[in-house]
Amino acid sequence: AQSVTQPDIHITVSEGASLELRCNYSYGATPYLFWYVQSPGQGLQLLLKYFSGDTLVQGIKGFEAEFKRSQSSFNLRKPSVHWSDAAEYFCAVGEDFGNEKLTFGTGTRLTIIP
Amino acid sequence: DVKVTQSSRYLVKRTGEKVFLECVQDMDHENMFWYRQDPGLGLRLIYFSYDVKMKEKGDIPEGYSVSREKKERFSLILESASTNQTSMYLCASSAAGEGDQPQHFGDGTRLSIL
């Protein structure tokens, strides 16, 4: 069974600084990978997804993520964070061939300081 | 835009009560999901459904049941609520695919069992 690890429970960055959130997955084949964001009191919103092709994918709100097969990683990045980026971020991996379940990581909470 | 609506944002019930959480989606999605979210544990899948009247157990189905009588509606039922079911409950839906379809989430129901 696949699994997802987000090693950082909580990250604090200054507004305007760059950001990288880590995600490692365990899956035998090429995975379907997703990043979601959850603002306080809200549901999850899709930031970006990777299925195949270009390993650097662009998402909404200025986020990007890079798939590295050799490292089994799919890290999320943003060059300059804004106070509104404070939220919880979840990485997820999808199964294939008609099974639409996602396995989520435990999340990384992002705090932005002025 | 996909809209997933959960009937209540906050709900307080008593131990032993039968509790119904309702979820409606407006995009004719085949798949619907119920998760619970607890601090440090991420999202855990309770039940999911690929079609009307069809359901499959997720990772933590004990103490829960579901109903999907119409394509747009997926209900989560706590047969006899217990305090350890106090949690945030998230509903999601997705189109049929091959594991590549993102899930769209509602805003969640924060359920307290007293």
Side-chain angles (χ1 to χ4, degrees):
Chain A
Q2 68 264 33
S3 64
V4 178
T5 302
Q6 294 181 247
D8 303 305
I9 296 172
H10 184 204
I11 285 183
T12 300
V13 300
S14 298
E15 190 168 15
S18 63
L19 171 70
E20 183 168 28
L21 302 182
R22 297 183 291 165
C23 173
N24 292 97
Y25 67 90
S26 170
Y27 187 65
T30 298
Y32 300 122
L33 294 161
F34 304 83
W35 273 101
Y36 285 86
V37 61
Q38 185 181 33
S39 298
Q42 304 292 318
L44 277 69
Q45 179 184 21
L46 180 69
L47 282 176
L48 47 79
K49 56 189 178 184
Y50 171 78
F51 301 145
S52 63
D54 192 347
T55 57
L56 184 65
V57 294
Q58 303 297 321
I60 63 171
K61 302 176 188 265
F63 285 92
E64 65 179 26
E66 186 171 13
F67 171 63
K68 293 185 177 180
R69 183 189 302 277
S70 61
Q71 298 176 21
S72 297
S73 69
F74 188 56
N75 294 349
L76 182 72
R77 301 195 294 247
K78 187 170 185 177
S80 175
V81 297
H82 185 262
W83 64 266
S84 60
D85 293 324
E88 189 147 23
Y89 292 80
F90 292 92
C91 182
V93 60
E95 299 184 11
D96 59 8
F97 299 112
N99 188 336
E100 301 294 336
K101 289 196 299 180
L102 295 181
T103 299
F104 286 85
T106 51
T108 297
R109 184 160 62 93
L110 176 65
T111 297
I112 309 294
I113 54 176
Chain B
D1 253 7
V2 178
K3 183 87 174 153
V4 179
T5 303
Q6 295 184 231
S7 53
S8 305
R9 291 298 301 273
Y10 302 93
L11 206 54
V12 180
K13 296 291 183 181
R14 297 207 173 272
T15 303
E17 281 192 70
K18 190 169 186 176
V19 180
F20 293 86
L21 302 184
E22 306 287 346
C23 175
V24 177
Q25 51 95 2
D26 66 356
M27 282 301 294
D28 203 36
H29 281 168
E30 288 77 10
N31 306 314
M32 296 189 75
F33 306 83
W34 275 107
Y35 296 89
R36 64 176 283 175
Q37 182 180 15
D38 300 289
L41 298 178
L43 275 72
R44 293 180 291 168
L45 183 64
I46 304 172
Y47 268 97
F48 59 104
S49 169
Y50 293 131
D51 202 350
V52 175
K53 296 189 185 297
M54 182 277 179
K55 61 186 179 185
E56 288 199 26
K57 294 179 180 180
D59 301 317
I60 52 165
E62 297 79 17
Y64 303 93
S65 63
V66 290
S67 173
R68 194 166 180 201
E69 296 296 319
K70 294 184 178 182
K71 191 174 185 180
E72 67 270 19
R73 186 180 297 271
F74 192 36
S75 303
L76 179 70
I77 304 157
L78 286 65
E79 296 290 344
S80 177
S82 64
T83 55
N84 63 11
Q85 292 178 309
T86 291
S87 186
M88 169 72 94
Y89 290 86
L90 292 168
C91 175
S93 72
S94 71
E98 295 182 349
D100 58 340
Q101 296 299 310
Q103 292 182 14
H104 302 267
F105 286 82
D107 285 339
T109 296
R110 187 165 293 281
L111 175 64
S112 295
I113 307 296
L114 304 179

